[in-house]
Amino acid sequence: MDNVSFVRVLTLSGFNETSNYRMTLFSFTLLYYCLILFCNICLITIIILDENLHEPMYVLLCSLFINGLYGTTGFYPKFLLDLLSSSAEISYEGCLLQAFIMYSFACCDLSILAVMAYDRYLAICRPLHYRSLMSKRRLALLVCFSWLTPLSVFAINVLLSSRLKLCGSNLHKVFCVNWVIVQLACSDADTVPNSLVSYVIIIVYVLHGVFIVWTYMHLVKKSVRSKDDRVKFMQTCVPHLISLSTFLVIIVFDLMYMRFGSTDLPQGLQNFIAIEFLLIPPLMNPLIYGFKLTKIRNRILYIIHSGRK
């Protein structure tokens, strides 16, 4: 073992089959990334500048859009550079950083969606106490929780991965994934702490999911009793449900495929499955909330009409 040269540079072999259409893929990806940036930054700016939107629901939406920028910025610039280079390589440290951003982005999304479900529960099921229960201080604490929880648990996970000695350098992906990095470890015994922390993380986020289901059971029960509550549910909860359902389906499918999926699929399809959570939610969220929520839609229309005068 003393003669083993441990790996410090990793190869992203998911790019191997893109050589024939790299410039086309680069052009479409750059356009798509610019669209994600434009939509999210526009809505973040509107929410920050319009005092009428300084309400808990819109503050949480702003947090969701910022997280979309955080996650996509951790992926798209490196992906675009790799499309222009002859070999897609990344340092071990850079790979761990990207893995940290990818995982924390995904779990931040779920944490924010859980807090948004709690906000809707208070607004519809306990409207008389909403202002006191969702005070500025509590809102600030909930936003901090939705960010600090995933950042903390994945910092621990990545720190555990950083101590591993790697004996392989080939990642069959277009970006770094902690689980795949751990599989390259020289000794399986060294990966036991990583597995234990991973199970803890899974339990934490399954509990997030249980909490969201519990809130929506109460929301639906409350909404069927009152026409006003039903209207409020359709206006504010349906976009949240669409966003949540899409996100969960994509993440569960990706995790199941990563752990149990076939490697016989074409590499291009494998790549698409792997990056779905970076393709759909970051653009779909601002579009859904921008068009569906009346206050944001009216503000966007006002800006458009003002610009034409």
Side-chain angles (χ1 to χ4, degrees):
M1 180 63 75
D2 293 337
N3 296 324
V4 174
S5 178
F6 295 117
V7 172
R8 303 309 303 173
V9 177
L10 302 171
T11 303
L12 300 171
S13 61
F15 287 94
N16 290 350
E17 294 184 16
T18 63
S19 56
N20 295 330
Y21 51 89
R22 283 198 174 192
M23 288 311 300
T24 304
L25 186 58
F26 175 86
S27 301
F28 279 110
T29 303
L30 180 61
L31 181 64
Y32 192 78
Y33 180 46
C34 289
L35 189 59
I36 289 173
L37 291 176
F38 175 77
C39 291
N40 283 280
I41 291 172
C42 278
L43 289 187
I44 290 167
T45 305
I46 287 170
I47 292 170
I48 290 173
L49 296 180
D50 191 343
E51 291 186 3
N52 294 321
L53 297 176
H54 293 180
E55 299 175 7
M57 181 174 71
Y58 299 104
V59 172
L60 293 171
L61 279 177
C62 189
S63 183
L64 187 68
F65 301 147
I66 291 170
N67 187 52
L69 293 178
Y70 164 69
T72 52
T73 302
F75 169 72
Y76 283 99
K78 176 70 170 72
F79 181 76
L80 289 166
L81 286 172
D82 286 336
L83 287 173
L84 295 177
S85 64
S86 56
S87 60
E89 294 182 338
I90 187 169
S91 67
Y92 186 23
E93 293 76 14
C95 198
L96 289 171
L97 176 61
Q98 189 180 53
F100 169 76
I101 293 172
M102 295 299 95
Y103 277 86
S104 58
F105 154 68
C107 289
C108 267
D109 241 28
L110 187 55
S111 292
I112 295 166
L113 289 169
V115 174
M116 289 173 69
Y118 175 66
D119 173 70
R120 291 301 83 207
Y121 164 76
L122 292 180
I124 294 175
C125 298
R126 304 186 67 182
L128 298 178
H129 305 284
Y130 179 70
R131 292 295 175 189
S132 60
L133 290 172
M134 191 56 80
S135 61
K136 288 184 179 180
R137 182 175 179 276
R138 177 166 291 186
L139 176 62
L141 288 173
L142 289 171
V143 170
C144 288
F145 160 80
S146 64
W147 279 89
L148 293 179
T149 301
L151 291 175
S152 300
V153 294
F154 284 109
I156 295 169
N157 206 16
V158 168
L159 283 172
L160 288 172
S161 297
S162 67
R163 68 187 175 77
L164 297 175
K165 305 294 186 184
L166 303 187
C167 287
S169 63
N170 198 24
L171 295 175
H172 298 286
K173 296 281 183 181
V174 291
F175 65 92
C176 294
V177 179
N178 192 59
W179 174 252
V180 180
I181 297 172
V182 170
Q183 289 179 318
L184 298 177
C186 298
S187 171
D188 289 339
D190 292 339
T191 66
V192 172
N194 295 74
S195 299
L196 292 175
V197 171
S198 296
Y199 289 130
V200 171
I201 292 170
I202 290 168
I203 292 168
V204 168
Y205 285 96
V206 166
L207 290 175
H208 276 54
V210 171
F211 174 75
I212 293 170
V213 171
W214 177 84
T215 57
Y216 269 95
M217 285 172 60
H218 285 273
L219 283 167
V220 171
K221 192 184 298 183
K222 177 73 172 175
S223 298
V224 296
R225 295 175 186 168
S226 164
K227 185 178 180 180
D228 290 339
D229 288 336
R230 193 154 53 246
V231 170
K232 191 185 290 186
F233 180 88
M234 293 300 293
Q235 286 180 341
T236 62
C237 295
V238 168
H240 180 261
L241 267 178
I242 295 171
S243 178
L244 178 66
S245 302
T246 305
F247 175 78
L248 288 177
V249 168
I250 289 170
I251 290 298
V252 170
F253 183 70
D254 181 49
L255 290 174
M256 294 297 288
Y257 177 78
M258 188 164 55
R259 295 295 179 106
F260 310 110
S262 170
T263 56
D264 296 331
L265 292 175
Q267 185 64 53
L269 182 57
Q270 290 184 47
N271 292 343
F272 177 76
I273 292 170
I275 65 172
E276 275 182 304
F277 75 108
L278 292 158
L279 284 172
I280 301 172
L283 184 60
M284 186 190 73
N285 287 338
L287 291 178
I288 285 178
Y289 288 108
F291 284 112
K292 183 65 180 172
L293 295 181
T294 307
K295 283 189 177 182
I296 294 180
R297 185 175 67 246
N298 290 344
R299 186 61 183 167
I300 293 171
L301 292 174
Y302 173 78
I303 293 170
I304 293 171
H305 291 313
S306 298
R308 289 179 178 176
K309 292 179 182 178

